[in-house]
C-alpha cells in the first residue's frame, strides 16, 4: 500500500530562498514578497523515518539543494522554481533515493565543495560526499560527550569544523573535528536536557533551549577556538513548558515551546512579543533572514507564517482617559472617531477624537437622570439616530447631527430598562431603523423610527410583546429574521424568545412627533403637556406572547447578543459559550453549542468577517479580547477591569477602537488597523494524540474529485469533522465538537437519514462520541457538496443528546444501598447495534453498546426525536477493563433475527452475547415508562474464549458467504487471532435459544513487534493489521493459517486505530483504502496481491 495523505506533527521547517519547506514529509510553500504564501508541492523523501531536519545550501541560483535528514536516513532534495507565476518542483538528487547511515543524524551543514558535514550519534563528526553512491571522506569521534539531544555545526572546512552539542545532563559541549578526543569547552547552567541550539557565527553568539523551560544566550566567539567556559549573557524564563526550538534574530533569541507559544525575547530577558495560535505543542521554528518572517509548526500538524515584529507598528497603544464632563453611566462609540457618554445626572456629551474635546449634546433633566443609551448608524449617510431613556418612562429620539430636533414620547408608567436598535429587512437602511424598548413589567415595544433631515424623527408603534415572568424582566438584544417576519430576542434571565411580526405591523398606530425648535441643546421639562404618549396608542395593538421560549438558555447572567448569519441564529451569553440555532415550525431549536476558547467565560458578540473568519468578542478575566476562530488566538487583548461596566467596541478598515468606563472616567483604546500578522499555511487538527478515526463516507461534488469525510477524536477533548483531499494531500477541518470534558476515545456511526428539512443530498449519520468521565455525546451530521467552500463540502452539526454516568447515578433510587460508580470511568469502545428497526422492535429507538473501564458492558437507547439517551442494560461479567465491543446481526432464512455482541477485555478473553431479549424488553419498558427505566441485566454470555495472553486492543467481525462469522483480534503481545463462528438455534426447548459454535481458530504469535491496535477483515480471505511498530501488514487467511502478503511502513507513531473501506475505480479495479491515527493521521491505498512474501516481516 502507498501513502495518499499524511497529517503529522511538524518536526522541521526551513526557508530555501522564496520557498518554505516543512516536515515530516517535505511540503513546499511559495512565498511572494509580503503577500500570502501558497502551497507549491509535496514529496515523500525518507523511506522509514520522519523528517527531523532540513538544511538549505546557501547561495543564489535557479535551484536550491536541501539536505533532508531524520533518524538514520539522509537525502538531498532540489527545489527548482517553475517561473514567476508557477510553483516549485521538488526532486531528489544524488542517486534518487534516501540513504541509511550507520548512526543517527543529529545535524547537517553544507561544507566546502557542496559536501555535507554531519553530526552523528555517539559524538561523531563526519564529512560526507553525497553525490554518486555516497562515501565517507573523514570522520572523528569525541569521547566523554555524554548522551546527545541536539547539535549545531560551524565551519565549512574540516580544519575549522566545530560542533556544539546539547546533552541530557544540561550541558553544552563544544569540540573541533581536528582535535576531537575530548570536549574543549562546556557551557553549564541549564537544569534539564538541552533540546535545541542555534549559532550565529557573525556575532559569536550561541542560543540554547532546555526542558527546564529556559532559554540562554552565550557569548562563545568562534566555535572550537579557545577553551574558556563561555559567558552567559541572558537567561530567559517565560515558557510554561519545555522549550523545543530556538533561533537568533539579530542579537536576541526567539523560541518555541511545548506550551504552544512562540516568544521573542528582549535585551533584559523579558518577553518582547508572544505569538500563540497553535492547538498543541510547538516542535519547529524557522526564521527567514530576508524580511524577518517566522514560521512555526507543532503537534497539531499546522504551519503558520508570522509577519516580522515592527517596533513602531507593534507598540501597544496607550489607553487614554478622556476626562468626561460628568461621571459617566454609559458609553457608546459612534464610528471610530466619536464617543458618546451618558452621565449619571442625565447629560449626554460627545467626544471628537480629531478635536480632542467634549461637546454637550443634552443637558441633565429635571425629571430624573437618563440611564439607557442606544445609537444606530444610517447606512450611506453620515448620520446616527440616538435614543435615550430613563426612570420616568420617557424616550428621546434625535439625529446626532441635530439634537435640537427631537421626538419625545412617554412609553411606560415606570422605568425603561432595555433599549436596542435592530436592523430589519425591508426598511430603507439610509433612513429608517427599528427600535425595541422594554419596561419594568415585561412589556416590550417595537418602534419604527424614520430620519427626516432638518426635522424630528418620525415614530410609528409597530408591536407590543410580553416577556416571560422573571426577576429582571427586560430584553437585552434582538434581531429580525429576514424572510420569516419573526423577531428573536434575548432577555436578562438568559432566555431566548421568538415573537411574530406580521400580525402586529398590519395594525400599527402612528404617533405624533413634536419638534423642539432652535439649535441649542434640548432641555426637557417634565411638565411638558404637549409631549405625545405611546400609552394612548397601546390599545390598538394586542400584547403578543412569545411563540417559542428557550428558558434560561444562557444561564441567569443573560443573553448578550443575537446574530443572524446564513439563515442560522447565533446567540451569546456570559456562560462562555455561543449557540447555533435554527427555526423549525416557528420553534427555536438548538443545533450546537460552541466554547471557543478556554478561559473566555463571558462572550458578548460575534462578528462574521467577509473572508470567512469568526471573531468572538468577550472578556477573559479583566481583559477585553477579540478572539479569531481561524487562527485560534487573541487578535486584541485590552486590560479594562472587566465587562460589568459599560463599554463599546468599533472595528473599521482604518482602526480598532475600544471605549470603556473606569475610575469614574471614559477610557479610550485606539489601534490603527494593520495587515494580518499571521497566515495559516496548514490548518491545525488536534493539539494532542488522535485516539480514534472513522470514515463517514464520500461526497460527490460536480466539478471536483470525490471528497472523503472523516471524524477524529483526540486527547485534547475535541472531535473534528474533516476532509482528506487526495489531490492536495491535505486535511481541512469542517467542524469541531467541543462538548466533552475529557478525552474522546471512541466513535461510532449510525448511518441513515435524519432531518428532512436539510434535504436528501449528501451524507447523513448519527455520530456517537465517548471517552473520559463516562460521557457520551450524540450528534446528527449532515454533509453536502458546497462549491463555494474551500474544500467543496459543507457540514452541519446538530447536537442530539448526551449522557454521563454520574448524572445517571444521582437519579437512581435507593442509591445509598449500592456501590457508587467511579466518576473516572472511561468508555473504551462503542458499537451501534444494527437492525433494530424491525417487526420485533416497532420503535424509533436506536441502541448502542459500550465497553467500559470499570469492567462493565453497557447498552444505551437513543430516541432522536425526544433527544434522550438512556442506559437500558449492563453487565459486569468481565470483572476487569473491557477494551472493545462489536455488535452484529444474524438473520436466518425465515427472517428471524438475533442481535449479537462481542466484547474483549484486558485478560485476553472474548465473550459473545445474545442481546436480543434485553433490547426487546428495554424497548417495551422505554415505551411504557416514557423514556425512563432502571437498567436491565444482560445475563451471561453464550461463549467465552481465551484468544490472547493479555489485553485485546483491536477487534473486527466479518460475515462469510456461508452465513458464518470471522472474528479477528489483535493484542498487546503483538499476536493476531482469528476464529470462525457458527450461529444456530437450540432444539428441544420451549423457547429457541441462540447457540454459538467455534468451528476454527487461527493464531499468529509475534505477528508484530508491538501492540496490534488496528485490525480489519477486508474479506474472508484477507486481513489487514497495524501496530505501534509502524508496520501495516496484509495477511492471507487460508488453510488454517495467516500468510503475510505485504508490509508497509507508515509515518504515524503511537498508532491508536485504523478504519478501512473499498472503492471500485472507473476501470473496475478494486482498491482498498485505510486511514490510521495516532500522533497524526495518514491515509493509504493499495490493491490486494495473492502472492505471499518470501519471509515474514521482521
Amino acid at each position: 500500500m502507498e501513502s495518499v495523505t499524511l497529517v503529522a506533527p511538524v518536526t522541521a521547517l526551513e526557508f530555501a530562498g522564496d520557498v518554505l519547506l516543512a516536515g515530516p514529509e517535505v511540503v513546499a510553500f511559495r512565498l511572494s514578497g509580503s503577500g500570502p504564501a501558497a502551497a507549491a508541492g509535496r514529496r515523500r523523501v525518507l523511506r522509514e523515518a520522519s523528517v527531523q531536519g532540513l538544511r538549505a545550501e546557501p547561495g543564489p541560483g535557479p535551484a536550491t539543494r536541501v539536505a533532508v535528514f531524520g533518524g538514520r536516513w539522509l537525502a538531498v532534495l532540489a527545489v527548482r522554481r517553475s517561473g514567476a507565476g508557477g510553483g516549485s518542483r521538488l526532486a531528489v538528487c544524488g542517486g534518487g533515493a534516501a540513504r541509511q547511515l550507520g548512526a543517527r543524524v543529529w545535524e547537517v551543514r553544507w561544507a566546502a565543495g557542496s559536501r555535507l558535514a554531519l553530526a552523528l550519534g555517539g559524538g561523531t563528526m563526519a564529512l560526507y560526499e553525497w553525490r554518486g553512491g555516497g562515501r565517507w571522506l573523514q570522520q572523528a569521534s569525541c569521547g566523554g560527550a555524554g548522551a546527545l539531544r541536539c547539535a549545531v555545526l560551524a565551519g565549512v572546512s574540516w580544519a575549522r569544523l566545530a560542533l556544539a552539542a546539547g546533552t541530557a545532563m544540561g550541558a553544552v559541549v563544544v569540540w573541533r573535528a581536528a582535535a576531537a578526543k575530548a570536549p574543549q569547552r562546556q557551557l553549564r547552567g541549564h537544569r534539564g536536557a538541552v533540546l535545541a541550539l542555534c549559532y550565529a557565527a557573525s556575532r559569536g553568539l550561541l542560543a540554547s533551549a532546555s526542558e527546564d523551560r529556559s532559554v540562554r544566550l552565550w557569548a562563545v566567539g568562534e566555535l572550537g577556538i579557545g577553551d574558556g567556559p563561555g559567558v552567559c549573557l541572558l537567561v530567559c524564563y517565560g515558557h510554561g513548558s519545555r522549550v523545543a526550538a530556538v533561533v537568533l534574530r539579530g542579537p536576541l533569541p526567539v523560541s518555541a515551546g511545548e506550551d504552544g507559544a512562540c516568544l521573542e525575547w528582549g535585551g533584559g530577558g523579558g518577553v518582547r512579543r508572544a505569538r500563540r495560535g497553535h492547538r498543541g505543542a510547538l516542535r519547529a521554528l524557522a526564521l527567514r533572514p530576508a524580511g524577518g518572517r517566522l514560521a512555526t509548526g507543532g503537534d497539531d500538524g499546522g504551519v503558520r507564517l508570522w509577519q516580522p515584529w515592527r517596533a513602531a507598528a507593534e507598540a501597544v497603544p496607550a489607553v487614554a482617559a478622556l476626562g468626561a464632563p460628568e461621571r459617566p453611566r454609559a458609553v457608546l462609540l459612534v464610528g471610530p472617531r466619536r464617543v458618546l457618554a451618558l452621565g449619571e445626572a442625565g447629560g449626554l456629551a460627545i467626544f471628537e477624537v480629531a478635536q480632542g474635546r467634549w461637546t454637550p449634546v443634552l443637558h441633565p433633566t429635571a425629571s430624573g437622570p437618563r440611564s439607557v443609551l442606544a445609537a444606530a448608524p444610517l447606512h450611506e449617510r453620515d448620520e446616527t439616530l440616538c435614543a435615550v431613556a430613563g426612570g420616568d418612562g420617557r424616550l428621546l429620539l434625535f439625529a446626532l447631527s441635530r439634537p435640537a430636533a427631537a421626538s419625545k414620547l412617554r412609553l411606560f408608567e415606570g422605568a425603561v430598562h432595555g433599549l436596542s436598535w435592530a436592523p430589519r429587512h425591508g426598511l430603507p437602511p439610509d433612513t429608517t431603523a427599528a427600535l425595541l424598548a422594554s419596561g419594568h413589567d415585561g412589556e416590550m415595544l417595537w418602534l419604527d423610527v424614520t430620519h427626516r433631515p432638518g426635522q424630528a424623527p418620525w415614530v410609528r408603534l409597530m408591536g407590543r410583546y410580553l416577556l416571560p415572568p422573571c426577576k429582571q424582566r427586560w430584553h437585552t438584544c434582538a434581531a429580525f429574521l429576514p424572510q420569516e417576519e419573526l423577531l428573536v430576542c434575548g432577555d436578562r434571565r438568559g432566555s431566548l424568545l421568538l415573537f411574530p411580526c406580521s400580525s402586529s405591523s398590519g395594525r400599527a398606530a402612528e404617533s405624533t412627533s413634536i419638534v423642539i425648535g432652535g439649535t441649542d441643546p434640548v432641555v426637557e421639562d417634565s411638565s411638558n403637556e404637549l409631549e405625545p404618549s405611546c400609552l394612548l396608542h397601546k390599545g390598538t395593538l394586542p400584547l403578543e406572547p412569545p411563540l417559542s421560549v428557550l428558558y434560561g438558555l444562557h444561564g441567569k447572567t443573560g443573553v448578550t447578543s443575537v446574530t443572524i448569519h446564513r439563515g442560522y441564529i447565533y446567540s451569546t451569553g456570559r456562560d462562555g459559550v455561543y449557540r447555533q440555532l435554527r427555526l423549525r415550525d416557528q420553534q427555536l431549536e438548538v443545533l450546537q453549542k460552541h466554547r471557543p476558547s478556554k478561559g473566555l467565560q463571558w462572550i458578548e458578540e460575534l462578528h462574521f468577517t467577509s473572508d470567512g473568519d469568526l471573531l468572538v468578542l468577550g472578556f477573559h478575566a479583566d481583559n477585553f479580547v477579540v478572539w479569531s476562530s481561524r487562527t485560534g488566538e487573541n487578535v486584541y487583548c485590552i486590560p479594562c477591569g472587566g465587562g460589568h461596566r459599560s463599554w463599546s467596541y468599533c472595528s473599521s478598515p482604518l482602526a480598532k477602537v475600544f471605549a470603556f468606563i473606569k475610575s469614574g472616567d471614559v477610557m479610550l483604546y485606539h489601534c490603527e488597523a494593520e495587515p494580518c500578522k499571521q497566515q495559516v499555511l496548514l490548518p491545525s487538527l488536534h493539539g494532542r494524540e488522535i485516539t480514534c478515526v472513522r470514515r463517514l463516507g464520500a461526497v460527490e461534488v460536480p466539478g471536483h474529485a470525490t471528497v472523503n469525510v472523516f471524524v477524529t477524536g483526540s486527547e485534547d477533548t475535541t472531535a473534528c469533522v474533516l476532509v482528506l483531499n487526495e489531490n492536495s494531500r491535505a486535511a481541512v477541518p469542517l467542524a469541531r465538537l467541543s462538548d466533552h470534558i475529557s478525552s474522546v476515545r471512541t466513535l461510532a456511526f449510525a448511518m441513515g437519514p435524519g432531518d428532512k428539512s436539510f434535504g436528501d443530498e449528501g451524507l447523513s449519520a448519527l455520530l456517537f462520541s465517548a471517552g473520559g468521565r463516562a460521557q457520551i455525546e450524540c450528534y446528527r451530521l449532515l454533509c453536502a457538496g458546497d462549491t463555494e467552500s474551500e474544500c467543496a463540502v459543507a457540514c452541519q452539526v446538530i447536537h442530539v443528546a448526551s449522557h454521563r454516568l454520574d448524572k445517571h447515578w444521582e437519579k437512581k433510587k435507593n442509591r445509598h444501598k449500592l456501590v457508587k460508580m467511579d466518576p473516572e470511568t472511561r468508555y473504551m469502545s462503542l458499537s451501534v447495534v444494527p437492525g433494530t428497526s424491525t417487526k420485533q422492535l416497532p420503535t424509533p429507538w436506536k441502541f448502542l453498546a459500550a465497553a467500559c473501564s470499570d469492567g462493565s458492558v453497557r447498552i444505551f437507547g437513543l430516541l432522536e426525536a425526544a433527544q434522550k439517551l438512556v442506559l437500558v442494560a449492563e453487565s459486569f461479567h468481565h470483572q476487569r477493563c473491557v477494551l472493545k465491543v462489536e455488535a452484529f446481526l444474524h438473520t436466518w432464512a425465515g427472517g428471524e433475527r438475533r442481535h449479537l455482541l462481542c466484547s474483549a477485555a484486558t485478560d485476553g478473553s472474548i465473550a459473545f452475547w445474545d442481546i436480543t431479549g434485553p433490547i426487546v424488553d428495554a424497548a417495551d419498558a422505554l415505551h411504557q415508562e416514557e423514556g425512563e427505566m432502571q437498567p436491565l441485566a444482560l445475563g451471561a454470555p453464550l461463549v467465552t474464549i481465551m484468544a490472547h495472553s493479555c489485553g485485546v486492543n483491536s477487534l473486527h467481525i466479518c460475515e462469510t458467504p456461508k452465513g458464518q462469522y470471522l472474528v479477528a483480534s489483535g493484542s498487546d503481545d503483538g499476536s493476531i487471532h482469528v476464529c470462525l463462528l457458527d450461529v444456530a438455534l437450540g432444539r428441544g426447548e420451549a423457547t429457541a435459544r441462540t447457540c454459538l459454535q467455534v468451528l476454527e481458530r487461527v493464531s499468529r504469535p509475534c505477528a508484530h513487534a508491538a501492540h496490534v491496535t488496528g485490525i480489519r477483515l477486508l474479506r474472508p480471505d484477507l486481513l489487514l493489521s497495524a501496530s505501534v511498530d509502524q508496520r501495516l501488514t496484509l495477511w492471507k487467511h487460508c488453510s488454517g493459517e495467516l500468510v503475510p502478503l505485504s508490509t508497509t511502513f507508515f509515518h504515524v507513531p503511537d498508532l491508536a486505530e485504523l478504519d478501512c473501506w473499498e472503492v471500485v475505480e472507473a476501470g473496475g479495479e478494486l482498491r482498498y483504502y485505510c486511514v490510521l491515527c495516532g500522533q497524526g493521521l495518514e491515509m493509504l491505498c493499495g490493491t490486494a496481491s495473492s502472492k505471499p512474501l518470501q519471509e515474514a516481516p521482521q
Side-chain angles (χ1 to χ4, degrees):
M1 302 186 83
E2 61 180 8
S3 179
V4 176
T5 302
L6 174 64
V7 181
V10 178
T11 52
L13 290 168
E14 177 78 354
F15 286 97
D18 59 351
V19 175
L20 171 64
L21 302 175
E25 63 174 355
V26 181
V27 184
F29 300 95
R30 183 71 180 271
L31 310 179
S32 57
S34 59
R42 185 184 293 254
R43 188 181 180 94
R44 181 69 49 80
V45 180
L46 304 185
R47 291 175 53 192
E48 297 185 3
S50 296
V51 176
Q52 299 296 324
L54 297 159
R55 298 293 180 263
E57 183 180 17
T64 301
R65 287 181 292 209
V66 179
V68 184
F69 60 93
R72 299 186 177 191
W73 293 84
L74 174 68
V76 176
L77 191 71
V79 182
R80 295 188 175 93
R81 285 78 169 176
S82 300
S88 298
R89 191 161 58 90
L90 308 178
V92 177
C93 306
R99 298 187 180 93
Q100 187 174 16
L101 307 181
R104 174 168 180 172
V105 183
W106 283 106
E107 181 59 273
V108 174
R109 179 177 175 83
W110 288 92
S114 295
R115 298 183 174 95
L116 293 178
L118 307 179
L120 305 175
T124 300
M125 283 187 286
L127 197 60
Y128 185 74
E129 176 57 72
W130 56 273
R131 286 162 290 206
R135 58 191 176 93
W136 300 101
L137 301 178
Q138 286 179 297
Q139 291 190 40
S141 297
C142 174
L148 303 187
R149 299 297 297 274
C150 61
V152 64
L153 289 163
V156 295
S157 64
W158 182 256
R160 303 184 66 87
L161 187 64
L163 172 69
T167 69
M169 302 304 294
V172 179
V173 294
V174 182
W175 66 88
R176 293 178 59 191
K181 295 182 180 180
Q184 293 176 290
R185 308 170 72 177
Q186 294 195 13
L187 310 178
R188 299 188 178 274
H190 286 291
R191 298 183 178 181
V194 179
L195 303 179
L197 293 169
C198 180
Y199 175 65
S202 60
R203 297 177 182 269
L205 297 177
L206 178 71
S208 60
S210 170
E211 66 178 11
D212 66 0
R213 302 182 296 176
S214 73
V215 176
R216 291 176 181 257
L217 185 65
W218 310 83
V220 295
E222 184 179 353
L223 282 183
I225 303 300
D227 55 359
V231 179
C232 183
L233 303 178
L234 204 61
V235 180
C236 308
Y237 280 98
H239 281 284
S241 188
R242 301 193 305 176
V243 188
V246 64
V247 297
L248 281 168
R249 170 178 274 170
L252 297 173
V254 181
S255 59
E258 293 184 2
D259 56 354
C262 175
L263 304 182
E264 293 191 37
W265 302 95
V271 177
R272 192 180 185 187
R273 171 70 188 270
R275 293 181 168 94
R276 291 180 173 87
H278 287 269
R279 301 182 66 87
L282 295 184
R283 299 293 178 190
L285 177 66
L287 171 68
R288 188 186 188 193
R293 287 204 253 186
L294 281 170
T296 55
D299 283 350
D300 57 0
V303 175
R304 303 191 179 213
L305 189 63
W306 305 82
Q307 296 296 331
W309 188 87
R310 304 291 185 190
E314 298 283 350
V316 177
V319 177
L322 302 185
E326 60 176 297
R327 190 176 183 88
R329 178 191 296 270
V331 64
L332 189 65
L333 283 167
V334 184
R337 311 296 293 177
R338 295 189 292 179
V339 186
L340 279 175
L342 182 64
E344 291 187 349
L348 182 67
I350 185 170
F351 183 86
E352 299 284 351
V353 176
Q355 300 175 5
R357 60 185 178 88
W358 289 94
T359 303
V361 178
L362 299 176
H363 290 310
T365 63
S367 59
R370 307 180 183 96
S371 58
V372 189
L373 170 66
L378 298 177
H379 298 283
E380 299 181 3
R381 285 176 179 263
D382 188 17
E383 187 58 273
T384 301
L385 285 175
C386 293
V388 291
D392 57 356
R394 288 180 171 86
L395 173 69
L396 191 65
L397 290 166
F398 57 90
L400 190 58
S401 63
R402 191 169 181 181
S407 294
K408 295 183 290 182
L409 302 99
R410 180 72 177 273
L411 300 182
F412 308 105
E413 293 290 349
V416 178
H417 289 291
L419 201 62
S420 64
W421 297 91
R424 186 162 74 90
H425 182 73
L427 293 179
D430 57 339
T431 58
T432 309
L435 178 67
L436 296 165
S438 53
H440 68 288
D441 56 353
E443 182 180 1
M444 183 173 69
L445 302 179
W446 165 23
L447 307 171
D448 273 356
V449 182
T450 302
H451 170 64
R452 298 184 295 179
Q455 303 180 45
W458 183 71
V459 184
R460 186 182 186 188
L461 179 62
M462 301 295 294
R464 298 172 60 216
Y465 304 105
L466 185 63
L467 303 177
C470 62
K471 184 177 180 181
Q472 297 170 315
R473 198 177 178 187
W474 61 84
H475 86 287
T476 54
C477 53
F480 288 91
L481 292 175
Q483 307 297 335
E484 305 292 339
E485 295 187 343
L486 295 170
L487 171 66
V488 182
C489 72
D491 68 4
R492 185 60 179 80
R493 176 57 180 81
S495 304
L496 210 59
L497 316 168
L498 181 69
F499 292 102
C501 296
S502 57
S503 60
S504 300
S505 59
R507 297 188 295 267
E510 295 186 8
S511 67
T512 305
S513 299
I514 293 183
V515 179
I516 307 298
T519 58
D520 296 331
V522 174
V523 181
E524 185 181 343
D525 189 355
S526 61
S527 63
N528 187 356
E529 299 296 337
L530 297 178
E531 180 181 284
S533 174
C534 283
L535 300 174
L536 302 176
H537 303 281
K538 286 183 179 181
T540 62
L541 293 175
L543 197 60
E544 299 276 1
L547 299 173
S548 175
V549 179
L550 297 179
Y551 188 75
L553 182 66
H554 285 278
K556 297 182 179 180
T557 51
V559 181
T560 54
S561 73
V562 177
T563 307
I564 312 298
H565 181 68
R566 291 186 176 180
Y568 293 102
I569 304 167
Y570 295 85
S571 64
T572 63
R574 300 180 184 179
D575 54 352
V577 300
Y578 69 89
R579 288 172 169 83
Q580 182 187 25
L581 305 96
R582 66 171 174 176
L583 189 64
R584 185 178 184 184
D585 299 329
Q586 292 195 339
Q587 295 294 311
L588 294 172
E589 181 180 353
V590 178
L591 299 181
Q592 193 182 2
K593 70 175 183 179
H594 302 262
R595 188 175 297 276
S597 175
K598 185 178 180 180
L600 193 61
Q601 296 299 325
W602 179 332
I603 299 179
E604 191 68 26
E605 294 179 24
L606 300 178
H607 287 184
F608 293 90
T609 64
S610 58
D611 59 353
D613 195 7
L614 171 61
L615 300 179
V616 181
L617 279 61
F619 291 89
H620 184 288
D622 59 350
N623 297 323
F624 172 78
V625 298
V626 179
W627 185 86
S628 169
S629 60
R630 171 179 293 171
T631 61
E633 69 160 355
N634 291 333
V635 181
Y636 299 100
C637 182
I638 308 167
C640 64
H644 56 282
R645 306 178 184 91
S646 178
W647 61 272
S648 181
Y649 174 77
C650 177
S651 175
S652 72
L654 300 178
K656 314 296 180 184
V657 186
F658 179 68
F660 59 98
I661 294 176
K662 188 175 182 180
S663 303
D665 201 352
V666 177
M667 316 296 286
L668 184 66
Y669 169 96
H670 189 276
C671 178
E672 298 297 329
E674 300 172 1
C676 182
K677 299 182 180 67
Q678 64 166 300
Q679 183 186 356
V680 179
L681 302 183
L682 288 179
S684 302
L685 288 187
H686 293 284
R688 299 181 64 184
E689 178 186 1
I690 302 175
T691 56
C692 47
V693 61
R694 285 288 184 273
R695 177 180 179 262
L696 177 62
V699 178
E700 300 288 343
V701 184
H704 295 78
T706 301
V707 179
N708 289 298
V709 183
F710 300 85
V711 181
T712 57
S714 171
E715 291 282 355
D716 66 0
T717 75
T718 66
C720 183
V721 184
L722 57 96
V723 298
L724 290 179
N725 194 315
E726 293 185 44
N727 293 334
S728 64
R729 302 180 67 182
V732 180
L734 299 178
R736 296 190 188 275
L737 314 177
S738 56
D739 294 295
H740 283 270
I741 60 175
S742 187
S743 61
V744 182
R745 299 189 63 90
T746 178
L747 301 167
F749 284 129
M751 301 300 295
D755 193 344
K756 298 296 184 183
S757 64
F758 286 94
D760 299 328
E761 298 181 358
L763 298 173
S764 178
L766 278 173
L767 167 67
F768 297 92
S769 62
R773 304 292 292 183
Q775 182 181 3
I776 301 178
E777 298 291 336
C778 178
Y779 307 89
R780 169 65 66 177
L781 300 184
L782 302 151
C783 298
D786 182 6
T787 55
E788 297 181 0
S789 174
E790 175 186 359
C791 54
V793 175
C795 178
Q796 175 60 53
V797 180
I798 304 173
H799 185 265
V800 176
S802 62
H803 186 278
R804 286 180 57 186
L805 281 182
D806 54 355
K807 294 183 178 179
H808 169 74
W809 169 264
E810 295 171 357
K811 298 179 182 179
K812 275 192 172 183
K813 297 180 180 178
N814 300 322
R815 60 179 180 270
H816 62 282
K817 298 180 182 179
L818 305 174
V819 177
K820 186 176 181 180
M821 55 80 59
D822 184 5
E824 296 298 328
T825 298
R826 300 180 303 278
Y827 291 118
M828 310 301 294
S829 176
L830 294 178
S831 180
V832 175
V833 180
T836 55
S837 299
T838 66
K839 294 181 180 180
Q840 295 173 296
L841 299 172
T843 171
W845 287 85
K846 288 182 172 62
F847 293 91
L848 178 74
C852 307
S853 64
D854 61 357
S856 69
V857 176
R858 291 183 168 94
I859 307 294
F860 294 87
L862 171 72
L863 183 60
E864 184 177 4
Q867 297 186 334
K868 285 188 176 181
L869 186 61
V870 184
L871 175 63
V872 299
E874 62 184 352
S875 173
F876 287 85
H877 162 78
H878 284 282
Q879 296 295 314
R880 52 184 50 82
C881 177
V882 185
L883 295 173
K884 293 292 179 181
V885 290
E886 190 82 15
F888 58 104
L889 177 68
H890 180 74
T891 305
W892 280 282
E896 188 173 357
R897 296 186 173 192
R898 286 292 186 271
H899 299 282
L900 304 175
L901 180 69
C902 176
S903 61
T906 53
D907 61 349
S909 65
I910 301 178
F912 297 90
W913 314 69
D914 182 0
I915 59 174
T916 308
I919 285 181
V920 173
D921 295 341
D924 294 338
L926 290 170
H927 179 72
Q928 296 173 5
E929 301 294 333
E930 297 182 352
E932 299 294 338
M933 61 173 291
Q934 293 298 316
L936 305 174
L938 279 181
L942 301 176
V943 177
T944 300
I945 61 175
M946 292 300 299
H948 302 276
S949 61
C950 51
V952 180
N953 276 322
S954 51
L955 182 68
H956 191 238
I957 300 175
C958 173
E959 185 176 3
T960 67
K962 296 181 179 181
Q964 298 168 339
Y965 296 90
L966 282 170
V967 180
S969 58
S971 174
D972 283 345
D973 58 7
S975 65
I976 295 175
H977 180 273
V978 180
C979 66
L980 180 64
L981 295 178
D982 183 63
V983 184
L985 285 175
R987 302 300 179 186
E989 302 177 7
T991 303
R993 190 174 70 89
T994 306
C995 295
L996 288 182
Q997 183 180 1
V998 180
L999 303 179
E1000 180 184 88
R1001 295 179 63 175
V1002 179
S1003 182
R1004 176 84 182 201
C1006 301
H1008 287 273
H1011 311 331
V1012 180
T1013 52
I1015 197 165
R1016 283 294 184 275
L1017 286 158
L1018 302 179
R1019 60 184 193 226
D1021 62 334
L1022 278 182
L1023 174 70
L1024 190 66
S1025 65
S1027 169
V1028 179
D1029 63 5
Q1030 294 183 247
R1031 298 298 189 274
L1032 182 70
T1033 304
L1034 184 65
W1035 305 84
K1036 184 175 181 62
H1037 175 230
C1038 63
S1039 303
E1041 64 176 345
L1042 292 174
V1043 180
L1045 297 178
S1046 64
T1047 298
T1048 304
F1049 174 84
F1050 57 86
H1051 290 75
V1052 177
D1054 300 330
L1055 178 74
E1057 195 175 48
L1058 71 80
D1059 194 13
C1060 297
W1061 67 99
E1062 60 183 35
V1063 175
V1064 179
E1065 302 291 344
E1069 182 184 15
L1070 180 64
R1071 295 182 68 86
Y1072 292 99
Y1073 286 78
C1074 73
V1075 60
L1076 307 104
C1077 69
Q1079 294 288 347
L1081 193 69
E1082 186 172 8
M1083 185 168 71
L1084 301 97
C1085 72
T1087 57
S1089 172
S1090 59
K1091 184 179 179 181
L1093 293 176
Q1094 296 298 321
E1095 297 180 0
Q1098 299 297 317

